[in-house]
Amino acid sequence: MLWIRNMRKTLVILTPGFPKDEEDSTCIPDRQIFVRVLKETYPQLNIIVLAFQYPYQPNEYSWNGIKVIALGGKNKSGFYRRLTWIRAWRVLKEINAAYEVIGLLSFWFDECAFIGDKFSKKYTLKHYSWLLGQDARPGNKYVYRIMPNGDNLIALSDYLVNEFKKNYDITPQHLVPGAVDTSLFKPLLAERDIDILGVGSLIPLKQYKLFIETVKFLKGVLPDIKAVICGKGPEMDLLKAMVLSYQLEGNITFKGEVSHPGVLEYMQRSKILLHPSKYEGFSTVLLEALYAGAHVVSFFSPMKTPFRHHHIVTDQDEMNYEVLVLLTNTHRGHEPVLINEMKQTATSIVNLFESNYKEAAIT
């Protein structure tokens, strides 16, 4: 790798994974949208992304004009993971020598935050770790390895601030909530031909069994109910077996992994996004569905202030009832609800590193 001394102000982003190319829209879509909008909003800021585990092959490439350095860790553990950390350290030293680094930003409080914390302390750089979801749950070993005081922690939601405080007695001092890129949405469609939409990984945490139970309940009242699930995961076969046993083949369609633009189109065709996950930091799916004009039914409220068209329920029975009430309400409305826009998120993050960038941003 050849580095030439360049005094451009540079922000280094540390992440477990990143899209392998510009067509890879399903790899952490919310994070890649943030990085792209960050570049668009601050074109004078040099951004370098260091991806620890994915893509699986070591590589250096350009993604939407942003340098990405893939270490190719392949999620291996033990000795191989430490080799990845050594490579990350060497690359960070080269970047720090070649550019005027304004700081490091870690996605999730994990190994990226661990390396970022150690490197920033050694070379006197700013470093922030962005709590994005499950990293705020109990059992995060990196909390005890790093022992943060909260000053360099960013939380994605009020819920994550409280969760991290509850589990580790540490309060993140910065709140930068989830957001959407409104430019990705097409004009709203006239017809909403999907009653209920599910979007997410088909894993136990997301509780798609409850999604199917809700459709089973609703079919007794609305025999022609139409539901779509976008996503893949280890519970796919189990969920399909449930659909067969409940005779819901004509009511629930599994679409598998769908590109991010495709997911947004499904949202704009849907009346309700049903999100039965038992844990959420601040689901971008929720924000995108609201902006797409769908109502959202879920178990969690990410922020202290409730959102219009977001319906919080406490259990399966309440979920069934709420969805039924919404579907039978012909005056429910489907106007877009914008909670946060990604450009503001980009500004909030950059201002943590360099306040003078606020005036330089493209508006």
Side-chain angles (χ1 to χ4, degrees), residues 216-233:
K216 177 190 175 186
F217 165 79
L218 293 168
K219 185 176 180 180
V221 184
L222 306 168
D224 297 323
I225 187 167
K226 182 177 179 181
V228 170
I229 297 177
C230 299
K232 66 177 184 178

Side-chain angles (χ1 to χ4, degrees), residues 120-133:
S120 64
K121 287 176 179 175
K122 182 173 178 61
Y123 292 95
T124 320
L125 295 169
K126 287 186 179 181
H127 171 242
Y128 292 96
S129 300
W130 206 346
L131 294 166
L132 296 171

Side-chain angles (χ1 to χ4, degrees), residues 1 5 17 21 26 83 100 106 140 146 168 174 244 250 277 333:
M1 188 183 304
R5 183 66 181 173
D21 54 43
T26 60
L83 279 180
E100 183 182 346
S106 301
N140 186 340
I146 299 172
Y168 301 105
H174 308 281
L244 287 173
S277 178

Side-chain angles (χ1 to χ4, degrees), residues 30 91 121 160 181 185 204 212 219 258 281 309 323 352:
D30 54 340
V91 172
K121 287 176 179 175
L160 288 180
D181 179 6
F185 292 78
I212 293 172
K219 185 176 180 180
V258 178
H309 291 179
V323 175
L352 290 174

Side-chain angles (χ1 to χ4, degrees), residues 272-321:
I272 296 171
L273 176 84
L274 183 59
H275 200 58
S277 178
K278 63 181 176 182
Y279 182 92
E280 284 294 339
F282 198 158
S283 173
T284 304
V285 168
L286 179 154
L287 295 172
E288 290 174 336
L290 290 174
Y291 189 72
H295 286 248
V296 175
V297 178
S298 73
F299 292 127
F300 284 93
S301 178
M303 303 299 285
K304 295 174 183 177
T305 303
F307 306 142
R308 191 161 56 98
H309 291 179
H310 184 198
H311 311 269
I312 310 300
V313 296
T314 58
D315 56 32
Q316 177 83 70
D317 290 339
E318 192 175 342
M319 177 173 282
N320 293 347
Y321 177 77

